[in-house]
Amino acid sequence: MENSTQESLLKSEHSVTYDSFYPIYALAFSSSAPNHHHHRLALGSFIEEYNNRVDVVSFDEDTLNIKAQPNLFFSHPYPPTKLVFHPNSSVAGRACGDLRPLLRNLTSFDWNEVEPRRIGTPSIDTTCTIWDIERGAVETQLIAHDKEVYDIAWANQGYSPLSRQTDEEHSTIIYENPQPDTPLLRLAWNKQDLRHMATILKDCNKVVVLDIRQPTMPVVELERHRASVNAIAWAPQSCRDALIWELPTVAGPNGIDPMPMYSAGSEINELQWSATLPDWIGIAFSNEVQLLRV
């Protein structure tokens, strides 16, 4: 079937929009809700000044409204690279760029959902660091890369910096870009099937899906985007859905076509798929956040 007849646009009646006073780069869903119908999102600004901020807004699933919470914000000098709520509460964790002045080389971070006292941070100095935030101390530092590390992700109790899997003493290369001058930017584990992860490349229109049981060879490469991919997310309720893609057991000779497609008003900076709101995807672009029902 031709892609033009297969794809279906996500219509405006399936979306909720929030307009911000500043460009939005970072986005996160709370892992818990104050009540059954109200959910919180954290929004990070992208202002080219030493004057950024993180705001928390609420989403009412009954009225389909997103409202600002004027008292729930904090200042953040640099644009936050990533936001994550504490796995066991509705308190947002700051992006890694604001941990301490000593840590300004950090590029991302991730929270261990099983042991929330532990976070991991990658750095442009080629290292990854595991922190015990309750003690405010370094737990271990991993020196396994020979170039900058741009993302990190926990797989339940396991850990994986971008493109490597490690037990703190040994590491295995899961995937290495055949173009050595093009870095890998983001990593996402499939939390329903930890054998699979996805990564995106700088200035590239494809998503690379990997199986850690078969290192170095991608399971499939998703290449239907018309421009560079900036963000990826796995559906929390399924082990075979990658955002708006349905992954078959075996890819056909012509690749894989997406399912629903969505076009934003400008370049998409971030997207998130919340485990507490599995019917909704959050997309950030320009000064807007849109929640899309899928």
Side-chain angles (χ1 to χ4, degrees):
M1 182 180 297
E2 292 296 323
N3 188 49
S4 59
T5 59
Q6 181 182 8
E7 66 192 31
S8 61
L9 287 175
L10 295 172
K11 303 297 184 181
S12 58
E13 60 264 26
H14 296 141
S15 68
V16 182
T17 302
Y18 175 81
D19 293 310
S20 173
F21 293 105
Y22 50 77
I24 297 171
Y25 181 79
L27 168 68
F29 284 95
S30 171
S31 56
S32 61
N35 62 52
H36 180 66
H37 299 285
H38 290 77
H39 304 266
R40 287 177 173 172
L41 295 87
L43 313 178
S45 68
F46 187 88
I47 302 171
E48 295 184 26
E49 299 175 3
Y50 197 68
N51 186 29
N52 284 267
R53 58 185 288 152
V54 173
D55 286 275
V56 176
V57 300
S58 63
F59 171 53
D60 189 325
E61 203 172 2
D62 287 336
T63 63
L64 299 183
N65 286 325
I66 302 176
K67 295 182 179 180
Q69 302 291 311
N71 296 325
L72 298 180
F73 79 94
F74 57 86
S75 298
H76 196 287
Y78 293 104
T81 55
K82 183 177 181 180
L83 294 172
V84 180
F85 278 84
H86 190 288
N88 295 334
S89 75
S90 58
V91 179
R94 294 194 182 193
C96 62
D98 194 44
L99 286 175
R100 290 289 185 272
L102 179 63
L103 307 179
R104 288 177 181 168
N105 290 333
L106 303 186
T107 54
S108 185
F109 82 120
D110 196 33
W111 222 311
N112 188 316
E113 296 180 4
V114 178
E115 297 181 89
R117 66 179 178 82
R118 305 177 79 199
I119 65 170
T121 58
S123 173
I124 61 173
D125 68 3
T126 76
T127 66
C128 294
T129 304
I130 307 301
W131 303 82
D132 185 326
I133 58 174
E134 292 181 357
R135 296 190 297 117
V138 172
E139 189 173 291
T140 187
Q141 192 166 57
L142 308 168
I143 305 174
H145 294 75
D146 54 13
K147 293 184 179 179
E148 299 92 338
V149 187
Y150 291 105
D151 202 11
I152 194 170
W154 292 90
N156 290 348
Q157 291 184 338
Y159 154 89
S160 177
L162 189 55
S163 80
R164 291 179 186 263
Q165 181 186 32
T166 180
D167 62 2
E168 301 181 7
E169 294 183 0
H170 303 89
S171 64
T172 301
I173 296 176
I174 300 301
Y175 175 73
E176 205 162 16
N177 185 7
Q179 302 175 2
D181 295 330
T182 303
L184 308 181
L185 295 183
R186 289 291 177 261
L187 172 71
W189 279 98
N190 183 339
K191 293 302 181 68
Q192 299 296 321
D193 184 350
L194 295 177
R195 299 168 298 179
H196 294 103
M197 64 177 71
T199 185
I200 56 177
L201 293 71
K202 181 181 179 182
D203 299 329
C204 182
N205 74 327
K206 68 183 179 181
V207 176
V208 178
V209 180
L210 308 168
D211 186 330
I212 63 173
R213 299 168 300 177
Q214 301 172 347
T216 73
M217 291 296 295
V219 173
V220 68
E221 295 181 345
L222 310 177
E223 302 183 77
R224 295 294 191 264
H225 291 274
R226 294 187 293 268
S228 300
V229 182
N230 292 334
I232 48 176
W234 290 90
Q237 76 277 20
S238 170
C239 65
R240 294 184 60 189
D241 289 344
L243 192 55
I244 313 176
W245 302 80
E246 175 91 15
L247 300 185
T249 304
V250 179
N254 297 322
I256 300 173
D257 289 324
M259 295 170 65
M261 296 184 66
Y262 168 81
S263 295
S266 60
E267 181 178 358
I268 295 173
N269 294 322
E270 177 65 291
L271 63 87
Q272 292 289 325
W273 202 330
S274 171
T276 58
L277 287 169
D279 293 335
W280 295 88
I281 297 175
I283 296 180
F285 60 93
S286 186
N287 287 46
E288 295 184 13
V289 168
Q290 282 197 339
L291 300 186
L292 309 176
R293 192 194 297 271
V294 295

